[in-house]
């Protein structure tokens, strides 16, 4: 069934007699209230983003945005692509000359300076598909593709996300001291030991792998170098932690917070897996071992969890603990070794990748993951404000749920209870859930 037939049937079912137009999304926008649309291609004139829904009166400077772009840009080290781009951002609208957001769309542009289209057009990559790359699927979908640089499938598209993510990061910091930090937690089978509660951005950026565990970072770097020198590529995992996120974010059932985070992170180029909290490892535990037991913080009186295997999200809603997600990235598809493939016209050939590419995307994926998580949380915050906090809850203090999370405080401190019985048996509940 084609789209015109589908539109006609929908119109008939609704009893509509006039012309019916079915508008399809094109996949370049993300967010509902705090919304971004990215544009541009790897070897075009530039790439950028339009950010709509940003609150007015937020102070944000070009330099603050540039910090995140500098962490994402190519040419940082021997384990990233040698493409030489400054990635200098230009703010075209939505911010006053004295660096205050106006509440209108913010447009940001980064011009491409060092594209080398000949690396793609003057050899077999002009007609042959790179194995596991988006070359073939873009061609199958659109019937045409941007050969040079991979067009929109290039990681260069993420510049717009990171620029908008820097604005989101500033909003989160001002709202509740929320910080979003990511790090490389695994390269192939090499893991690390990092305290998600305490590591800093300085710890992350202390080495070119972007792993706060220095000893593990050395092993990771050695493995990456070994693979790089062989003309091959390697993948791994980026872990992202959002601290000081208030309880209540996320909208069951289809807009659960981890569902939105999964969509956000899985949209990043080369992302192939997503976990929230303990993720797949949690399936190895029993309910007793996996459950995060509650307790009352003796200082703030807030409801807290003794562990955080849920990754700060329960029932699709943030519970006030650290939000922790893990994103798996595959090895870069363009490699310097010979591989079997086919041409656009269906001929079997062998191809050796040309151009400048990351042997491991992980170090530069860190700010990309941070950006997408920050954008998702700001959007969730604004939705929460609009639906649940438009009118203040004027119920008596005893009728409200106890405040929940790391930054929550109960007015007057922990509630005092007088024990009237020595019966410490567990509370028995009859549970009848489908």
């Amino acid at each position: 069934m084609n789209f015109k037939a589908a539109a006609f049937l929908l119109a008939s079912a609704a009893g509509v007699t006039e012309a019916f137009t079915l508008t399809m999304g094109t996949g370049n926008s993300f967010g509902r209230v705090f919304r971004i649309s990215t544009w541009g291609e790897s070897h075009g004139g530039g790439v950028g983003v339009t950010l709509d829904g940003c609150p007015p009166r937020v102070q944000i400077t070009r330099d603050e945005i540039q910090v995140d772009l500098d962490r994402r840009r190519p040419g940082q080290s021997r384990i990233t692509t040698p493409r030489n781009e400054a990635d200098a951002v230009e703010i075209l609208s939505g911010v006053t000359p004295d660096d205050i957001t106006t509440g209108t769309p913010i447009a940001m542009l980064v011009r491409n300076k060092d594209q080398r289209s000949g690396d793609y057009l003057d050899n077999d990559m002009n007609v042959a598909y790179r194995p596991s790359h988006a070359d073939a699927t873009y061609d199958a979908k659109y019937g045409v593709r941007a050969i040079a640089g991979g067009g929109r499938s290039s990681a260069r598209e993420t510049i717009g996300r990171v620029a908008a993510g820097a604005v989101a990061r500033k909003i989160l910091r001002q709202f509740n001291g929320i910080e979003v930090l990511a790090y490389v937690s695994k390269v192939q089978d090499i893991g690390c030991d990092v305290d998600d509660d305490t590591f800093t951005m300085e710890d992350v950026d202390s080495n070119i792998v972007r792993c706060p565990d220095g000893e593990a970072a050395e092993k990771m770097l050695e493995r990456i170098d070994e693979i790089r020198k062989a003309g091959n590529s390697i993948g791994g995992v980026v872990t992202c932690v959002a601290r000081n996120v208030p309880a209540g974010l996320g909208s069951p059932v289809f807009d659960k917070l981890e569902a939105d985070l999964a969509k956000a992170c899985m949209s990043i180029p080369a992302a192939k897996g997503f976990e929230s909290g303990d993720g797949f490892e949690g399936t190895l535990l029993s309910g007793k071992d996996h459950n995060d037991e509650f307790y009352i913080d003796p200082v703030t009186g807030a409801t807290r969890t003794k562990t955080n295997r849920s990754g700060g999200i329960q029932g699709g809603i943030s519970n006030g603990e650290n939000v922790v997600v893990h994103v798996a990235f595959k090895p870069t598809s363009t490699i310097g070794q010979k591989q079997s493939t086919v041409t656009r016209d269906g001929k079997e050939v062998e191809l050796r990748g040309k151009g400048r590419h990351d042997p491991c995307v992980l170090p530069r994926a860190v700010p990309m993951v941070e950006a997408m998580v920050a954008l998702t949380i700001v959007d969730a915050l604004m939705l929460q404000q609009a639906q649940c906090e438009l009118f203040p809850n004027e119920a008596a203090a005893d009728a409200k749920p106890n405040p929940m999370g790391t930054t929550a405080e109960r007015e007057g401190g922990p509630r005092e209870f007088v024990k009237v019985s020595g019966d410490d048996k567990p509370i028995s509940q009859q549970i009848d859930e489908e």
Side-chain angles (χ1 to χ4, degrees), residues 23-41:
T23 302
M24 305 298 291
T26 52
N28 297 300
S29 299
F30 178 81
R32 286 154 293 187
V33 181
F34 194 80
R35 185 169 177 82
I36 66 167
S37 296
T38 69
W39 39 267
E41 299 173 345

Side-chain angles (χ1 to χ4, degrees), residues 65-305:
I65 297 169
Q66 193 64 50
V67 167
D68 281 2
L69 288 174
D70 286 347
R71 298 177 72 226
R72 193 224 70 93
R73 74 178 183 84
Q76 297 180 40
S77 70
R78 68 178 185 269
I79 60 172
T80 64
T81 170
R83 179 169 172 170
N84 184 21
E85 296 278 6
D87 285 354
V89 65
E90 301 173 32
I91 302 176
L92 306 181
S93 67
V95 180
T96 67
D98 52 347
D99 304 321
I100 305 295
T101 61
T102 62
T104 57
I106 299 173
M108 292 178 278
L109 164 68
V110 168
R111 300 180 191 275
N112 295 327
K113 303 287 188 181
D114 189 35
Q115 59 268 54
R116 295 181 189 173
S117 298
D119 289 348
Y120 298 81
L121 302 178
D122 299 339
N123 54 63
D124 291 340
M125 289 173 67
N126 187 12
V127 294
Y129 299 132
R130 287 168 284 179
S132 286
H133 196 277
D135 291 341
T137 50
Y138 266 61
D139 214 357
K141 178 177 178 63
Y142 299 110
V144 64
R145 68 185 177 96
I147 297 170
R152 290 287 287 168
S153 68
S154 167
R156 194 143 183 81
E157 175 272 329
T158 63
I159 283 176
R161 308 173 188 229
V162 173
V167 180
R169 189 194 294 275
K170 185 64 177 287
I171 293 170
L172 293 174
R173 188 183 306 122
Q174 287 187 204
F175 178 80
N176 200 49
I178 300 170
E179 57 178 352
V180 178
L181 298 173
Y183 63 93
V184 175
S185 55
K186 201 170 190 179
V187 172
Q188 269 188 348
D189 59 341
I190 303 173
C192 63
D193 184 13
V194 176
D195 185 344
D196 288 343
D197 292 334
T198 60
F199 79 92
T200 66
M201 185 179 290
E202 289 71 23
D203 295 332
V204 174
D205 291 343
S206 63
N207 56 73
I208 61 176
V209 179
R210 290 213 164 101
C211 175
D213 181 343
E215 185 176 340
E218 290 181 8
K219 296 177 182 177
M220 293 175 179
L221 181 57
E222 185 178 344
R223 179 72 59 83
I224 296 171
D225 275 336
E226 177 186 344
I227 295 290
R228 174 180 63 87
K229 291 173 183 177
N232 212 338
S233 62
I234 193 172
V237 178
V238 170
T239 293
C240 188
V241 182
R243 301 175 185 146
N244 301 330
V245 176
L249 305 189
S251 299
V253 291
F254 296 114
D255 297 327
K256 294 180 177 181
L257 185 57
E258 71 260 63
D260 285 347
L261 287 169
K263 178 179 175 65
C265 293
M266 289 296 289
S267 72
I268 300 171
K272 279 296 183 181
F274 177 88
E275 292 182 338
S276 174
D278 275 5
F280 290 107
E281 288 188 4
T283 65
L284 305 177
L285 304 177
S286 68
K288 173 64 175 175
D289 294 329
H290 185 268
N291 289 344
D292 296 317
E293 295 185 346
F294 291 112
Y295 75 100
I296 299 299
D297 189 301
V299 176
T300 65
T303 298
R304 299 287 310 281
T305 62

